[in-house]
Amino acid sequence: MTEQPKKQQLLQLIRANPFISQQELATELGLSRSAVAGYIAGLIRERKLLGRAYVLPDRRPVVCMGAANLDRKLRSLAPLALHTSNPASQAESFGGVARNIAENLARLGTPVALLTAVGSDSSGAALLAHAESAGIATHGALRLEDAASGTYTAVLDANGDMVVALADMALYDRMTPAFVAAREAQLAASALVVADLNLPLDTVDALLAQARRSGVALVLVAVSEPKMARLPPALAGVRLLILNAGELAARVGRPLEDQAAIEAAMREVQAQGARDVVVTRGAAGVLLTQADGAIASLEALPAEVADVTGAGDAFAAAVCWSLVQDGGDDLVLACRRGLHLSKLTVGTLDTVHPGLGPDSLADADTMNTNFLEQL
């Protein structure tokens, strides 16, 4: 039998059982183990396999890098009064932008890995255990013996809108460029890298360099106006930057009074090297750049709001899911899916909608088809 059919048979066996040993492959194919090793080396060079463990290209994971916190939500039971005690209810859950995106992706059926930092405490152990139970790989996480795991405390008003949030996330400063270098093989073998701006500036810069080397698309997700200072001046290597209008204003260093000002700022960020920019505006919908240089506007979907926490992360997750599924060619569809998942999320008290599944975005696809038919 010629070499090419042998390679095809070997690929079929690996696809059926990604954990098959080289000796088992040799027995199945009637080859020596050294011959099988040679075929595997050739397939890795051709990128038909992605390194050890025979990772197949169509099952490459999305790697999410950044925060994984213990979230506390305090919700006022009446209109908030400042400078005094307010009756409230409390809930705890797992959060963090990168972690939330990873859980949304896992529930949507996407292979996903989480690169984060946790302390040697019960919160860190619980964070990683919960992630693993949701189908998120955590073997690359940084475990710190001398630090407490991250916490995020949100104060919500009686309507479920966030009034203020307090974040203890100093441990993510320990995720240095050396951490990126140590995980370079994992990043290079991914379908997409998503990073939040809880990471230090030089670490984000290292991710940009890694994206340029590997060709793996990089999505950056902003987390707050102060942490926009962690976004490097040059953005070559950024496939997509997702942020809100306030964060965009912080980036360009001026107030953005109207939509025309926002659009001008989006083009300015593109000129700094980002391929595309998406600006979320809450109930006003989203703005997104287009390949032809235009900026599209999408309206938010009507929703009954139970809790807005996690809505932005759900939006980002659906956009990333779409980029992986469709090759990133249709950012409008990606954002429609994002708006749909955001609507589902705000209708629950959970940071990540507990009922998500692989078909959860089907309604968004139907709405997009109907929209296109009306044009």
Side-chain angles (χ1 to χ4, degrees), residues 70 86 186 249 289 344 356:
L70 180 64
N86 289 265
Q186 184 178 3
T289 53
L344 294 178
L356 292 186

Side-chain angles (χ1 to χ4, degrees), residues 67-84:
N69 312 316
L70 180 64
D71 279 1
R72 297 185 179 94
K73 298 177 189 177
L74 296 170
R75 181 167 179 168
S76 175
L77 301 179
L80 275 171
L82 299 181
H83 312 299
T84 188

Side-chain angles (χ1 to χ4, degrees), residues 205-291:
D205 213 15
L207 283 173
L208 294 180
Q210 195 279 333
R212 293 192 295 269
R213 286 193 303 271
S214 68
V216 175
L218 172 65
V219 176
L220 294 180
V221 182
V223 298
S224 69
E225 293 179 28
K227 288 189 176 178
M228 290 306 294
R230 300 188 171 202
L231 190 63
L235 299 178
V238 175
R239 167 62 186 87
L240 177 63
L241 173 63
I242 302 175
L243 71 175
N244 64 33
E247 291 157 350
L248 180 61
R251 172 63 178 185
V252 298
R254 62 179 183 272
L256 302 175
E257 302 293 350
D258 53 27
Q259 182 167 322
I262 293 173
E263 292 183 6
M266 292 170 71
R267 292 191 174 95
E268 185 176 329
V269 172
Q270 279 188 295
Q272 295 165 359
R275 176 174 163 184
D276 279 306
V277 179
V278 170
V279 176
T280 59
R281 301 190 297 162
V286 300
L287 297 173
L288 60 139
T289 53
Q290 294 281 270

